[in-house]
Amino acid sequence: MYYKIISLILSSAQNPSSTSEVFIAQPDANKEALAGKLFALVEINSRRSEALKIINFLVNTLNHNYYQNEKIILRERISTLKVEHIFETALAKTNKELVEFLAREKINIPLADFNITAGIVYENELHFSNLGKNRCLLIYKHREEPTAAPGKIRSVTGPKPELSYKIADLSQSSKAQTPAGNGKNKKAIAKGGGAVKLFSNIVSGTIPTGGYFLFTNETLPEYLSSKQLIDTITKLPPAGAIAQIKNILGGINAYVSFLGILVKNTTGLKVVAEKEPTAEVSVETSISRLNSTEEKTEKLLMPSGFINFKKWLKIPGLVAAKIKTPNAADRSKKTFLIKDKIFFKKKQTWIFGKKIILLGRDILANLLNFIIYLFRAFTSREQAKILIGKIIAKIRSSKQNLEAKGQQVYSWVKGLNKRNKILLFAAAVCLLLFIISLSATGVKNKMEAEKIALDGLIKTVEQKQNQVDAHLLYNNEDGAKTILDELKGLIEKLPQETDAQKEYYGKIIEKNNQQLEKIRHVVAVETGAPMADFANLNKGAEVANIILAGNKIYAGDGKQKTVYTLDLSKNLVTAVAALNQPIKALNSPVLDKNKKIYYLNDNSIIQLNTETEEISNLTIGLPAGRENIIAAAGYNNLLYLLEKSSGQIYRYRKAEAGFSAGEKWMRDKADFSQAVSFSIDGQIYVLNSDGGVSKYLKGEKQDFSLKPIDPPLTAATKIIVSQDLEYIYILEPATKRLVIFNKTGQFLSQYQFNGLNDLKDFDVDETAKKIYFLDGTKVFAIDATHFEK
């Protein structure tokens, strides 16, 4: 046999976008000897039924046109008829018939969607034609020539350079030459004209001895490296190599199909076959050979340093066999058949069961007697003393006996002659070596088992990380998240004992974090220098919040009875103080349409007129104590307060000296026990500390929830929505992040501020695409990127 050929087809279960087929002809022995074996690898980038029609027609027609060609029969008589000429004729005829078939069936598929490789392998020759993006890879032996140092001549008598395998891609150019130097490339006959010319070139040549040809579709070499292909194909037989490739690709959750045809040139390779024994052997000879084989196997499998006790145990038997017993001759004469002397007696199984019951009864009775004895002994002080004395006496007696035995052994060893002492010492050394050998073998086996388990774990982790990349490539974030959850437990099992293990663990963790950030839509923010630091204006500043009004940022400081102003256009910081006002707090700032800012004081409202920069105190009737008011919000020049204990939102209208009596906005009592903030855009959004958001319209709760994010919100502090804003913004200072949702609750992005350590408040300017943050007494600004999503 000159060659071996085997196919690979692995279809995707994820609804692939192509139709494919791998075909290897199965001619009878005579036709294969004359014309070789035809093969084809076809992939059409279409899921239409016409694609499968074209593939079936192409394969059947090419097979018929080649093997039914009358020139094949004439090859035995006419030596000038070459296989490649017959193959060219078959390709040209198939091309013509395909044009007629497409016209007859009215099929219109672009030629760019065709990826076809058709070829013939005959003895060690290979002729093929390739169309489209299929890959034709030649794996051949290459002798690495050592390079001499500059100025020195390479030694001719030195060792021969080592052989290694290399891979060459013959599909890159229509004029490719084989590494053997005897390949050629020529134009096909391709009669029939028409608009379709599938087979325009034929590559012909011989496969190097011990070399391989691998025809694949475009996707297979993208998932397996050249080194993987070379190692798998050259170290395994063709069937085993294809099976191994299937196992590797089968573990990849890909959305594409994998096709391949592997051809190996076996010309000149020696095949060693076992010789069958021709002479008849007896049963005794067969058993003797079996025993001999068993002994040889045990000898091969026995670890180094292991003592073969079976060999030593045979010595007494061999010695006894040589000693002739006095009555051996007499007994040898008295031979008789024993088969007639054998009698069978049925055992009575119930007697055996009865014995077990009696034994169990005796054990139980003795156990109960022992327990009763112990109870009596320890409940009586005198009995306990006697029992303890007996135990101590027993221990002393055992110790004395042990010492006496040791003395006897010592005396016995001392009394041995020199020869026996040497033998005893040698036996002790052998025993010690035996124990050491067993321990070493056990440790080695344990280490090998641990290595195999670790290799399997590493392979699983890398495979799953590749699956995550595939899911992210196709925007399947749910699938990627599921695998990442599985990876979490696997990565924790990776050892971190050696430096290499720690380095590998670090790489896996780094890639895992990168994949997590892609799913979490994390935007790492470098805040840079602050825009302003109010502590530079007032060393005792304790700013609680900020609010954007026009082109200025106002920061409330209740302790200093001051509102700081940051002019964004001039980058100028000023302060408006109201030392004569009864200010104890400046919380939950609300901006109305008249450019006035309202702050929650203890039992009143502090008003700042941003145009005149005057601060005044306004009266308001709170429904309960100030401690139950969670936050304030504004809408249409109305002030809204959220009251926790009553589960109600109150609405206030502006009056001359303050605000009118509050109106209940909620129709029914709500659970605001976990509420921390709320905001209004026509509907009211209430934020709980655990990140949950409830939406209310006309006093009634709506069906609304935010999509889950990773990691989940656990300590949110503020929410912002408005008529002008398209998004929902939630601040969580504990994790230094700002989370963005759209108004349907869909998660979009989250900004991570690793450089800020005292986040207090934020505000958003969607027109300028800016977000402002208050960190301690400093104001930072960042460019918002979530508008692009």
Side-chain angles (χ1 to χ4, degrees):
M1 192 68 181
Y2 294 93
Y3 57 85
K4 290 184 180 179
I5 182 169
I6 191 166
S7 64
L8 162 69
I9 182 165
L10 190 62
S11 299
S12 171
Q14 305 286 342
N15 192 20
S17 60
S18 63
T19 306
S20 55
E21 179 61 43
V22 176
F23 169 76
I24 297 178
Q26 300 298 330
D28 55 44
N30 292 331
K31 284 187 177 179
E32 185 175 357
L34 291 172
K37 187 168 286 192
L38 178 71
F39 63 88
L41 190 151
V42 187
E43 185 178 41
I44 301 177
N45 298 327
S46 173
R47 293 297 297 167
R48 293 162 52 188
S49 58
E50 290 87 349
L52 184 59
K53 243 187 222 183
I54 293 173
I55 291 176
N56 292 334
F57 176 84
L58 187 62
V59 169
N60 294 332
T61 305
L62 183 59
N63 187 49
H64 179 271
N65 290 341
Y66 182 75
Y67 285 110
Q68 300 303 321
N69 195 315
E70 58 186 6
K71 294 180 181 178
I72 290 178
I73 303 174
L74 298 175
R75 284 200 68 245
E76 291 181 315
R77 302 173 184 174
I78 305 175
S79 60
T80 56
L81 281 176
K82 301 294 184 182
V83 169
E84 57 183 306
H85 300 153
I86 302 173
F87 180 55
E88 287 177 355
T89 304
L91 286 179
K93 190 175 181 182
T94 302
N95 203 53
K96 177 181 178 181
E97 292 177 4
L98 180 61
V99 173
E100 296 171 355
F101 172 78
L102 294 176
R104 184 172 63 253
E105 297 292 332
K106 298 181 179 180
I107 298 175
N108 183 18
I109 295 180
L111 187 62
D113 291 340
F114 285 74
N115 301 293
I116 306 173
T117 301
I120 189 77
V121 55
Y122 172 72
E123 296 183 353
N124 62 342
E125 298 177 4
L126 182 67
H127 314 280
F128 67 92
S129 179
N130 190 45
L131 168 71
K133 300 178 180 179
N134 286 348
R135 306 288 292 276
C136 311
L137 307 175
L138 172 61
I139 300 173
Y140 60 96
K141 291 182 179 179
H142 174 75
R143 191 177 298 277
E144 295 287 345
E145 294 291 340
T147 57
K152 293 185 180 181
I153 301 175
R154 182 172 61 87
S155 174
V156 179
T157 61
K160 293 183 178 180
E162 295 182 357
L163 284 174
S164 61
Y165 280 94
K166 282 201 170 184
I167 190 167
D169 190 353
L170 302 189
S171 55
Q172 297 297 327
S173 172
S174 61
K175 297 182 179 181
Q177 297 291 327
T178 62
N182 53 359
K184 54 184 178 177
N185 192 12
K186 56 186 177 181
K187 203 74 175 176
I189 297 174
K191 300 176 182 177
V196 180
K197 289 186 178 181
L198 298 182
F199 310 106
S200 58
N201 291 284
I202 293 179
V203 177
S204 300
T206 59
I207 308 174
T209 302
Y212 305 80
F213 242 99
L214 178 63
F215 300 93
T216 73
N217 61 342
E218 184 186 19
T219 57
L220 192 145
E222 294 176 355
Y223 283 81
L224 294 177
S225 65
S226 298
K227 185 177 184 305
Q228 283 180 298
L229 289 173
I230 291 173
D231 291 344
T232 304
I233 292 173
T234 59
K235 294 180 181 179
L236 295 173
I242 292 298
Q244 178 66 10
I245 292 173
K246 280 186 178 180
N247 289 337
I248 296 173
L249 297 177
I252 299 174
N253 190 7
Y255 291 79
V256 294
S257 299
F258 301 98
L259 311 175
I261 296 176
L262 178 63
V263 182
K264 177 182 180 181
N265 182 8
T266 59
T267 307
L269 297 181
K270 295 182 179 180
V271 180
V272 181
E274 294 181 1
K275 296 181 179 181
E276 295 293 331
T278 55
E280 295 183 357
V281 294
S282 63
V283 176
E284 292 80 0
T285 307
S286 177
I287 294 174
S288 176
R289 289 181 178 177
L290 184 61
N291 292 334
S292 176
T293 303
E294 181 183 358
E295 290 176 358
K296 290 179 181 178
T297 305
E298 288 181 354
K299 186 175 180 181
L300 288 173
L301 296 178
M302 186 177 298
S304 60
F306 190 87
I307 300 172
N308 190 350
F309 287 98
K310 187 182 290 187
K311 178 179 178 182
W312 290 94
L313 290 174
K314 288 182 179 180
I315 294 176
L318 295 174
V319 174
K322 294 181 180 181
I323 300 174
K324 186 175 181 182
T325 57
N327 299 325
D330 297 336
R331 286 199 300 270
S332 63
K333 295 178 181 179
K334 297 178 181 180
T335 58
F336 58 89
L337 295 175
I338 197 170
K339 64 179 181 178
D340 297 329
K341 304 296 182 181
I342 297 176
F343 300 94
F344 294 94
K345 184 177 181 181
K346 187 177 181 181
K347 292 184 178 180
Q348 297 183 5
T349 56
W350 66 271
I351 296 177
F352 180 72
K354 185 177 180 180
K355 288 183 178 179
I356 292 177
I357 294 172
L358 292 174
L359 180 61
R361 185 188 66 182
D362 294 340
I363 293 173
L364 183 60
N366 291 328
L367 182 62
L368 288 174
N369 289 332
F370 181 69
I371 293 172
I372 293 170
Y373 172 74
L374 290 178
F375 177 76
R376 289 178 178 176
F378 285 102
T379 52
S380 173
R381 183 176 296 179
E382 294 180 359
Q383 291 290 335
K385 288 182 178 180
I386 295 172
L387 179 62
I388 293 172
K390 288 182 178 180
I391 293 173
I392 293 173
K394 190 69 176 176
I395 292 173
R396 290 175 179 173
S397 176
S398 300
K399 182 181 178 182
Q400 292 173 358
N401 292 335
L402 187 61
E403 290 176 353
K405 291 290 184 184
Q407 188 65 32
Q408 290 177 5
V409 171
Y410 175 76
S411 300
W412 176 75
V413 172
K414 190 175 181 181
L416 293 175
N417 57 35
K418 187 176 181 180
R419 179 173 174 274
N420 290 337
K421 285 181 180 179
I422 293 172
L423 291 175
L424 181 62
F425 178 75
V429 170
C430 290
L431 181 61
L432 180 62
L433 292 176
F434 172 70
I435 295 172
I436 294 173
S437 175
L438 284 180
S439 301
T441 304
V443 171
K444 182 180 178 182
N445 293 338
K446 184 179 179 181
M447 292 177 63
E448 289 180 354
E450 290 176 352
K451 185 178 183 302
I452 292 172
L454 179 59
D455 292 342
L457 178 61
I458 290 173
K459 182 178 179 182
T460 303
V461 169
E462 292 177 348
Q463 178 180 329
K464 287 190 177 293
Q465 286 192 332
N466 292 335
Q467 291 176 0
V468 172
D469 288 336
H471 281 303
L472 292 176
L473 183 63
Y474 292 96
N475 296 321
N476 183 10
E477 292 189 358
D478 292 336
K481 188 177 185 305
T482 302
I483 298 176
L484 282 171
D485 290 340
E486 298 174 4
L487 266 173
K488 185 177 180 181
L490 294 175
I491 292 175
E492 290 176 353
K493 296 179 181 178
L494 289 173
Q496 303 179 57
E497 298 174 358
T498 65
D499 293 338
Q501 290 175 346
K502 291 178 181 178
E503 182 181 358
Y504 179 78
Y505 181 83
K507 291 180 180 178
I508 292 295
I509 287 293
E510 182 180 359
K511 184 173 182 179
N512 186 70
N513 291 336
Q514 291 173 356
Q515 292 174 334
L516 281 173
E517 287 184 358
K518 290 180 182 179
I519 292 178
R520 294 171 176 174
H521 300 277
V522 174
V523 180
V525 176
E526 296 294 336
T527 53
M531 298 183 66
D533 187 352
F534 300 118
N536 295 333
L537 188 64
N538 185 349
K539 292 183 179 180
E542 293 185 12
V543 184
N545 48 65
I546 59 172
I547 187 170
L548 180 67
N551 199 34
K552 295 181 179 180
I553 292 177
Y554 296 87
D557 183 351
K559 185 177 180 181
Q560 301 294 329
K561 298 183 179 183
T562 303
V563 176
Y564 305 102
T565 305
L566 170 61
D567 191 328
L568 298 176
S569 59
K570 300 178 182 179
N571 197 23
L572 179 65
V573 177
T574 58
V576 180
L579 302 178
N580 60 339
Q581 295 291 347
I583 299 175
K584 293 185 178 180
L586 293 173
N587 297 328
S588 296
V590 176
L591 178 68
D592 69 1
K593 293 183 178 180
N594 299 321
K595 298 182 180 179
K596 294 179 180 180
I597 301 175
Y598 302 99
Y599 291 93
L600 274 178
N601 196 12
D602 269 4
N603 293 303
S604 63
I605 298 294
I606 301 299
Q607 173 187 282
L608 171 64
N609 190 328
T610 59
E611 293 181 344
T612 62
E613 293 191 348
E614 294 180 355
I615 295 178
S616 56
N617 186 40
L618 305 179
T619 61
I620 189 171
L622 298 178
R626 172 64 180 83
E627 66 276 2
N628 291 320
I629 303 300
I630 301 300
Y635 182 73
N636 276 348
N637 275 9
L638 298 175
L639 181 66
Y640 292 79
L641 300 181
L642 188 148
E643 206 275 325
K644 178 172 66 174
S645 61
S646 63
Q648 185 61 254
I649 295 175
Y650 292 90
R651 180 171 57 192
Y652 296 85
R653 302 179 186 277
K654 183 74 167 53
E656 291 185 5
F659 288 88
S660 63
E663 306 170 5
K664 291 184 177 180
W665 186 81
M666 298 286 296
R667 294 190 178 183
D668 298 311
K669 181 179 179 180
D671 181 12
F672 292 149
S673 60
Q674 302 297 322
V676 293
S677 176
F678 76 109
S679 188
I680 308 172
D681 69 348
Q683 303 178 93
I684 293 181
Y685 297 79
V686 179
L687 172 67
N688 293 330
S689 59
D690 62 359
V693 174
S694 302
K695 184 167 72 172
Y696 298 89
L697 176 64
K698 296 181 180 180
E700 294 183 349
K701 188 174 183 179
Q702 305 297 303
D703 184 13
F704 176 82
S705 63
L706 298 178
K707 298 295 182 183
I709 66 171
D710 185 28
L713 291 165
T714 57
T717 60
K718 184 173 181 179
I719 184 172
I720 290 182
V721 297
S722 77
Q723 285 180 310
D724 302 327
L725 305 184
E726 296 295 327
Y727 305 96
I728 300 173
Y729 300 84
I730 297 176
L731 180 67
E732 188 178 45
T735 55
K736 303 179 183 180
R737 60 175 171 165
L738 179 70
V739 185
I740 318 296
F741 299 87
N742 63 22
K743 289 194 176 179
T744 63
Q746 191 71 32
F747 168 66
L748 297 179
S749 182
Q750 51 183 325
Y751 295 95
Q752 189 74 45
F753 311 97
N754 294 323
L756 304 183
N757 299 314
D758 190 16
L759 269 174
K760 293 181 178 179
D761 200 4
F762 77 101
D763 208 344
V764 183
D765 185 356
E766 284 199 333
T767 304
K769 296 183 179 179
K770 292 279 188 180
I771 303 177
Y772 300 95
F773 293 91
L774 175 64
D775 183 66
T777 59
K778 300 176 183 178
V779 176
F780 294 86
I782 67 167
D783 295 322
T785 60
H786 62 275
F787 300 102
E788 303 170 2
K789 296 185 181 295

